[in-house]
Amino acid sequence: MPVVRRFRRVAPLLVLALLLVGCETEGPRSTLHPVGYVAEQQLDLLIWTTWLSVGVVALVAGVLGYAIFRFRSRYTGDKDAIPNQVHGSVPLEITWTLIPVIIVILVAVPTVRTIFETEVRVQPQESDVLVHVTGYQWWWKFEYPELGIVTANELHVPVGTRVVLDLDSADVLHSFWVPKLAGKRDMIPNQENQLWLIADEEGIYWGHCAELCLGAHAYMRFRVIVESEEEYQAWVESFQEVQVQASQEERQAIQPVQNNELIQEGRTLFAQKGCIGCHSNANFGPGYGSPDFPNLTNFGLRNTVAAGVLENTHENLTAWIRDPQAIKPGNYMPTLWQEDDPDALEEASAIAAYLLSLGIEGEQQAQANAVGGTNGDR
Amino acid sequence: MAIGRQTAAAGHAGVLTRPTWTTGWASWLTTVDHKRLGLLYICTSFLFLGLASVEAFLMRLQLARPEQSLVSPDVFNQLFTMHGVTMVFLAIMPLGIGFANYFVPLMIGARDLAFPRLNAFGYWVYALSGVFIYTSFFLGGAPDAGWFAYAPLTSLSNNPGNGIDFYMIGLLVSGVGTLVTAMNLIVTIINMRAPGMTFMRLPLFVWMMLITAFMIIFAFPPLTIALFQVIMDRTFGTLFYVPEAGALPILWQHLFWIFGHPEVYIIILPAFGVISEVIPTFSRKPLFGYPIMVLSGIFIAFMGFAVWSHHMFTTGLGPVANTAFSLTSFVIGIPTGIKIFNWIATMWGGHVRFAVPMLYATAFLLTFTLGGITGIMLAIPPLDAQVQDTYFVVAHFHFVMGGGALLSFLAGFYYWFPKMTGRLLPEGLGRLGFWLIVPGFYLIFWPQHFAGLLGMPRRIQTYEAGIGLDLYNLMSSAGTFVMGAGMVIVIFSAFWALRKGRLAGDDPWDGRTLEWATSSPPPHYDFDVVPEVNDRDPVWLLKHPHLVERRDPISESVDPDHSPPKHVEQVSIHIPGQSWYPFIASFAIFLGSYGLLFHNLLLGLFSVAVLFYACYAWALEGVGGHHEHIELEPAVGGPA
């Protein structure tokens, strides 16, 4: 397979060279640099059809160009000359009926093969990671039914493992799309759609909602975080730890809201300002929040805020909490402070500090606060 | 006998007599002349084309740089929705219908469409529905759910404003106009052909319009049903598209695309027809492979109804359905490819004059080929899974709709302008316009293929900086200035030419089909004597009789003695009277639309009453009109 791998590496360059010399193909959402089995299959089809297309365009443009230059009437001289009035030719018609037929067959065979390799509905196996994805205006809920994890906007998956996604929508149509891992699949209310993918390399891959869902559609982004098996297990355990605990005290012991005054204040404000009315958070235990809003459990482990719009730094998170509409117009998060509230920034900052502490061990947390952020650049 | 009926009806109490104005604004409101209505169609669609272009321009301005906020997301949603709705329903499709209105009767040797008043009704319904949809900007916001308005984004809970109602009711009404026009064209083409104009001698434009009209008849009812369901949902609380009540929103997509895919060919087949007229004329050769061109048009239309689900590959239809719709979509590439080769073969061996219409026709050939090829790519479900709903799709359908339909209609505009106005468009400005429009078009839409492949979804009002999209978007936005300048030049030169253009004469391009046999602009009765047709290129053969020996074998079967009635020295032509009622009826529908939208029972009942009155009076107003007596020169050899 190294030949294939090498081919895949140069393939985007070929596509590029063929279509428009000197243009960029890199980008965090580029379909031309896949890192997953499904997306690779899709790119192979793109490359194959691009080659064919270049052939067809060269043929048509060549014949057309020749006709233009060879049969251009010279305005002088034979302006009134009448060319031979040819009405048609059966052999020619048969020829250029067969040409498209052959091209169509050349496209159809790999197409059908790839459809049945990448688009079949799979029965989840023991080894698969199963995730239930729900699209909301304008964020993503990721539930791991086997693990009891509920999180938002960042999907953690282990490398090299098949991930089976059940796709659903809570309101309008959305479409789940991580270009580097797999093509998109729509999320439709009352319809069970499935998408599966296998990521070849660790990394953070960008996704975007591909179906118009009004308002903040342009900001309905997410990340797929592909980690090693160990990192993934650690991430899973950090959720399971906070969820098994029953009492408030024990919960706080696991997710220590420590001596840091800012964090303590943030936790109080999180409750006072009504955040817990919408956002579930294992640190507060069950009974708070709603399943229809992002679950903030272990929020400190997130890389991004506002469904992938900003990096999850203390500064960005504060700005987001202070005035969500300025960052993501149309979203449903209320503005909690009056325009002229003198404490607004300070209080938002405290809530941000609290949220960033969730899921982070004591030492890490202190460190993070010291540098004014957490692992936004992780 | 016609006069007798008119006299009887004119005395009917309470019914307006048929007006007879020939000039002034009222003559345009009451006209039933297919040529005047054709001009109205063409002018109105250019007007909407301008509006849609302004919307496009604003969007490109917003997207020129990343993370800009010139336009709010809400306004952006309205802009692209109205841009799409306008282009599809109010600009490009009516442009084709406008040319058909003007030229189908002339090309088949008829004096008008079969139902002149119905024709006027069709136009007014279309124009007023456009006005209706556009008033949404002032009455609570334009529709914002995209031109295909997927459920459940259109349900009352997800979209409580008026915009969706404007979309649904506006398109429902506009569809009525399109349907009656299609029926009118079918009846006209089948029943009113000149003597000797057999089906296999119809100009290809007429053939394509006949096929298009049949497609409209079959494609619009599913749309009507879908629109009606949503109107019922929003007005009367039914639950067709309410997911909370268990509805399956995918139904809208099936109904919409079983209309929407044929709609693509409803737009593009007339364009094929125009190209099939322009290329032979400017190559001085008959259309290569005429029977195949007709059959491939029919085949495309037929298959057009079999591929709607290729717009839905990502909705989870499953691999079997995706395979089926993928393969049927590929099959459409075959007749399309045949057409391209036949057009080139028509040029082959000819004396090709590159006047402006031919320039556009050539640009069409290349651009449409490129758009067709990306169409094949999109018909590959695994590839579609990546590029669906991205700028790759945006680029694709603009290559087909803009590069295919719009460029060919521009070819038609330059080709037929002298016939419609008697004056030629200035050649120099025409070339300048062409060299701005076509490269500008490529600058806008070519980079969008790459933006799509780099992961830029469509319908987003902003994108992240530094993820590879900046340059492509900037190029796209810059292109709008170039193409826009070209369009302005075209419009400007048309106004200029109306007054100062060089006089065209009857047959400036050495044409081949019947419309060139009458004067420019044609008299309101079209032809002094309806000519006898013996060939596919009747006018061409009259001008070059020595070619008759070499003409198509089909022509040989026609009785050569059956020539025009040479002994007649005076002909009497009945000119139908104008009528107020098509306008009044469509205006009642226009008012009633507001009644439905604002749940205003009084306005609704009033407009229904007016509509009933208009239908009643329409039925009773009689034939009207007058007879035109035309002296013929003693030796009439036919046209030219």
Side-chain angles (χ1 to χ4, degrees):
Chain A
M1 294 306 276
V3 181
V4 176
R5 280 220 164 271
R6 202 168 304 152
F7 175 67
R8 281 198 179 120
R9 210 145 281 174
V10 292
L13 289 173
L14 285 175
V15 173
L16 170 82
L18 294 170
L19 294 173
L20 188 68
V21 181
C23 273
E24 212 172 343
T25 63
E26 288 282 2
R29 287 205 302 261
S30 173
T31 58
L32 303 174
H33 294 271
V35 289
Y37 171 77
V38 176
E40 280 157 8
Q41 296 287 306
Q42 290 161 341
L43 179 65
D44 287 351
L45 272 177
L46 175 70
I47 291 163
W48 170 235
T49 49
T50 304
W51 278 113
L52 281 175
S53 304
V54 168
V56 173
V57 173
L59 178 67
V60 171
V63 177
L64 181 65
Y66 180 78
I68 288 172
F69 288 105
R70 172 70 181 73
F71 302 108
R72 173 193 291 269
S73 89
R74 314 297 191 273
Y75 278 75
T76 53
D78 62 348
K79 189 177 173 237
D80 291 324
I82 292 168
N84 195 12
Q85 302 289 295
V86 181
H87 285 270
S89 153
V90 174
L92 277 179
E93 298 285 357
I94 291 173
T95 309
W96 55 58
T97 307
L98 287 178
I99 292 173
V101 168
I102 292 166
I103 293 168
V104 159
I105 291 169
L106 288 177
V107 177
V109 173
T111 296
V112 177
R113 208 182 50 215
T114 312
I115 290 175
F116 283 92
E117 272 171 22
T118 60
E119 297 195 355
V120 282
R121 184 176 276 269
V122 295
Q123 205 60 44
Q125 307 291 310
E126 192 78 10
S127 55
D128 294 343
V129 173
L130 190 62
V131 186
H132 190 83
V133 186
T134 311
Y136 285 85
Q137 285 173 316
W138 290 271
W139 63 281
W140 311 78
K141 178 157 81 176
F142 298 115
E143 291 170 276
Y144 296 70
E146 293 161 328
L147 308 171
I149 295 174
V150 181
T151 184
N153 300 330
E154 283 179 13
L155 177 66
H156 285 248
V157 297
V159 69
T161 307
R162 190 169 75 173
V163 182
V164 179
L165 306 160
D166 287 325
L167 304 174
D168 196 5
S169 167
D171 35 53
V172 299
L173 305 188
H174 302 282
S175 189
F176 181 94
W177 183 36
V178 195
K180 292 197 171 209
L181 296 181
K184 63 185 71 66
R185 185 68 34 89
D186 295 352
M187 312 168 87
I188 302 173
N190 299 340
Q191 182 173 322
E192 286 173 16
N193 276 355
Q194 187 198 61
L195 181 72
W196 55 269
L197 53 90
I198 302 168
D200 292 346
E201 289 170 29
E202 292 174 33
I204 299 178
Y205 303 108
W206 293 27
H208 201 296
C209 175
E211 187 62 78
L212 174 66
C213 47
L214 286 188
H217 169 54
Y219 303 100
M220 189 168 165
R221 304 166 190 169
F222 64 104
R223 297 283 189 273
V224 177
I225 294 152
V226 180
E227 324 173 282
S228 67
E229 189 63 39
E230 301 79 56
E231 284 175 306
Y232 172 71
Q233 282 309 330
W235 180 80
V236 169
E237 276 158 28
S238 70
F239 272 82
Q240 288 173 338
E241 273 176 17
V242 293
Q243 277 157 352
V244 289
Q245 304 303 320
S247 78
Q248 182 91 329
E249 292 72 34
E250 279 170 327
R251 212 173 280 285
Q252 286 196 34
I254 296 294
Q255 284 218 308
V257 176
Q258 336 152 0
N259 319 338
N260 190 320
E261 251 177 60
L262 190 66
I263 293 175
Q264 290 286 6
E265 188 200 341
R267 188 176 192 276
T268 315
L269 281 166
F270 187 78
Q272 273 178 0
K273 282 287 175 184
C275 305
I276 52 171
C278 298
H279 294 287
S280 308
N281 174 357
N283 185 257
F284 272 86
Y288 295 107
S290 151
D292 287 337
F293 294 96
N295 189 317
L296 300 183
T297 301
N298 280 349
F299 189 84
L301 297 178
R302 299 240 185 113
N303 295 324
T304 63
V305 63
V309 175
L310 296 173
E311 273 188 16
N312 192 11
T313 63
H314 184 260
E315 193 186 343
N316 284 344
L317 184 56
T318 307
W320 167 245
I321 295 168
R322 170 67 185 94
D323 190 0
Q325 297 301 327
I327 287 162
K328 192 170 169 180
N331 83 86
Y332 290 142
M333 187 150 144
T335 306
L336 296 173
W337 292 272
Q338 302 287 327
E339 192 75 43
D340 53 356
D341 192 329
D343 300 330
L345 212 56
E346 201 180 306
E347 292 180 355
S349 162
I351 296 178
Y354 163 65
L355 288 175
L356 289 172
S357 75
L358 297 173
I360 309 281
E361 300 296 325
E363 227 170 282
Q364 254 181 303
Q365 187 184 340
Q367 220 172 7
N369 284 328
V371 298
T374 57
N375 51 353
D377 52 355
R378 195 171 89 151
Chain B
M1 61 202 155
I3 298 302
R5 265 189 288 164
Q6 178 211 13
T7 330
H12 200 284
V15 176
L16 295 169
T17 50
R18 298 187 71 149
T20 51
W21 300 291
T22 54
T23 54
W25 61 271
S27 71
W28 289 94
L29 283 187
T30 58
T31 187
V32 297
D33 178 2
H34 72 95
K35 295 179 290 300
R36 290 189 132 202
L37 287 164
L39 288 177
L40 282 172
Y41 261 112
I42 292 167
C43 293
T44 313
S45 43
F46 265 101
L47 192 74
F48 283 119
L49 190 68
L51 288 170
S53 306
V54 170
E55 285 149 5
F57 183 73
L58 289 175
M59 287 189 281
R60 281 318 320 173
L61 219 53
Q62 158 71 14
L63 290 171
R65 306 294 308 149
E67 288 160 18
Q68 288 200 116
S69 49
L70 296 172
V71 175
S72 76
D74 287 344
V75 172
F76 193 86
N77 291 339
Q78 297 178 18
L79 287 177
F80 67 66
T81 302
M82 287 300 284
H83 172 77
V85 169
T86 309
M87 280 297 191
V88 172
F89 293 97
L90 305 176
I92 300 195
M93 182 170 65
L95 201 49
I97 289 179
F99 284 128
N101 234 296
Y102 202 109
F103 289 104
V104 161
L106 284 169
M107 287 176 138
I108 63 172
R111 296 204 186 279
D112 204 326
L113 287 178
F115 308 112
R117 286 180 295 173
L118 195 65
N119 191 23
F121 175 75
Y123 166 74
W124 286 109
V125 166
Y126 145 65
L128 290 173
S129 73
V131 173
F132 173 78
I133 295 175
Y134 263 85
T135 54
S136 64
F137 275 115
F138 314 103
L139 295 171
D144 58 0
W147 89 274
F148 36 78
Y150 278 175
L153 205 55
T154 53
S155 71
L156 209 49
S157 57
N158 289 315
N159 211 325
N162 287 336
I164 300 302
D165 298 302
F166 273 106
Y167 172 96
M168 298 290 164
I169 298 170
L171 292 195
L172 190 78
V173 170
S174 149
V176 172
T178 313
L179 266 174
V180 296
T181 305
M183 293 173 189
N184 210 343
L185 280 170
I186 291 174
V187 175
T188 306
I189 295 170
I190 292 181
N191 288 321
M192 297 177 64
R193 285 164 289 136
M197 176 70 86
T198 61
F199 271 103
M200 288 315 272
R201 284 184 194 145
L202 285 179
L204 213 81
F205 178 70
V206 178
W207 251 118
M208 292 302 133
M209 283 316 302
L210 180 64
I211 297 168
T212 303
F214 271 108
M215 292 190 81
I216 289 174
I217 301 281
F218 289 105
F220 271 69
L223 175 71
T224 307
I225 291 166
L227 294 168
F228 203 69
Q229 286 173 332
V230 175
I231 292 171
M232 292 290 281
D233 271 8
R234 294 178 61 93
T235 312
F236 303 109
T238 54
L239 303 168
F240 290 107
Y241 293 110
V242 180
E244 294 81 1
L248 299 175
I250 201 81
L251 174 63
W252 168 271
Q253 293 190 35
H254 282 294
L255 287 173
F256 187 88
W257 286 118
I258 196 116
F259 147 79
H261 193 79
E263 173 70 14
V264 174
Y265 299 113
I266 289 170
I267 289 174
I268 206 70
L269 284 179
F272 286 174
V274 172
I275 293 301
S276 305
E277 299 303 325
V278 168
I279 290 183
T281 298
F282 288 92
S283 306
R284 298 169 74 81
K285 273 185 65 200
L287 185 68
F288 196 89
Y290 172 96
I292 312 279
M293 292 298 258
V294 172
L295 287 175
S296 60
I298 295 172
F299 186 63
I300 289 171
F302 188 78
M303 293 303 288
F305 284 93
V307 299
W308 79 93
S309 281
H310 73 205
H311 297 264
M312 299 163 61
F313 283 148
T314 61
T315 60
L317 297 169
V320 176
N322 278 4
T323 302
F325 283 103
S326 168
L327 295 181
T328 45
S329 305
F330 291 157
V331 168
I332 291 187
I334 297 168
T336 315
I338 293 170
K339 276 181 175 291
I340 300 272
F341 283 119
N342 274 324
W343 282 318
I344 297 176
T346 306
M347 294 164 68
W348 200 272
H351 289 270
V352 187
R353 286 168 296 157
F354 282 94
V356 180
M358 190 61 189
L359 286 178
Y360 280 110
T362 317
F364 162 90
L365 286 180
L366 190 64
T367 315
F368 188 76
T369 303
L370 289 167
I373 281 171
T374 48
I376 293 286
M377 288 179 165
L378 284 164
I380 300 170
L383 198 44
D384 183 81
Q386 284 287 19
V387 293
Q388 157 78 335
D389 275 324
T390 69
Y391 264 78
F392 190 88
V393 171
V394 175
H396 157 72
F397 68 71
H398 280 95
F399 263 73
V400 175
M401 296 284 100
L406 186 62
L407 289 185
S408 94
F409 288 141
L410 281 170
F413 185 69
Y414 272 85
Y415 179 55
W416 280 320
F417 188 86
K419 179 50 67 183
M420 296 188 286
T421 63
R423 287 174 189 273
L424 287 161
L425 285 163
E427 186 78 6
L429 276 182
R431 284 172 188 278
L432 179 63
F434 172 83
W435 287 110
L436 288 171
I437 288 176
V438 174
F441 175 88
Y442 276 80
L443 185 56
I444 299 173
F445 296 110
W446 188 252
Q448 292 185 354
H449 292 108
F450 302 96
L453 290 173
L454 287 183
M456 180 166 171
R458 65 194 284 204
R459 297 164 159 181
I460 53 168
Q461 96 286 358
T462 190
Y463 51 92
E464 300 98 316
I467 62 167
L469 300 176
D470 305 14
L471 177 65
Y472 298 118
N473 277 292
L474 192 61
M475 286 163 79
S476 261
S477 298
T480 56
F481 288 92
V482 183
M483 189 181 175
M487 289 303 289
V488 168
I489 286 172
V490 170
I491 305 288
F492 167 79
S493 64
F495 277 108
W496 182 87
L498 277 180
R499 297 186 177 282
K500 306 215 171 137
R502 201 149 55 80
L503 287 176
D506 296 348
D507 185 15
W509 309 120
D510 202 2
R512 312 177 70 87
T513 38
L514 273 188
E515 78 270 28
W516 304 108
T518 184
S519 63
S520 304
H524 50 146
Y525 43 80
D526 286 1
F527 299 97
D528 296 350
V529 173
V530 173
E532 180 87 10
V533 178
N534 289 308
D535 194 273
R536 275 178 206 145
D537 295 315
V539 174
W540 175 255
L541 284 197
L542 274 170
K543 288 184 289 195
H544 306 286
H546 66 282
L547 292 173
V548 168
E549 276 72 35
R550 275 192 262 167
R551 69 193 181 195
D552 197 346
I554 291 173
S555 322
E556 308 297 344
S557 62
V558 171
D559 176 10
D561 297 331
H562 195 76
S563 47
K566 290 194 173 78
H567 56 283
V568 179
E569 278 155 25
Q570 192 195 50
V571 285
S572 170
I573 300 166
H574 175 243
I575 309 294
Q578 289 152 238
S579 175
W580 275 108
Y581 296 110
F583 178 75
I584 294 176
S586 37
F587 197 79
I589 294 174
F590 174 66
L591 281 186
S593 309
Y594 288 106
L596 180 58
L597 192 139
F598 290 112
H599 302 198
N600 187 325
L601 190 62
L602 206 65
L603 185 59
L605 289 176
F606 171 73
S607 38
V608 169
V610 173
L611 182 60
F612 268 94
Y613 165 73
C615 294
Y616 165 78
W618 178 331
L620 292 179
E621 74 176 339
V623 173
H626 63 284
H627 279 258
E628 197 94 17
H629 300 283
I630 294 155
E631 304 287 336
L632 297 179
E633 288 163 34
V636 168

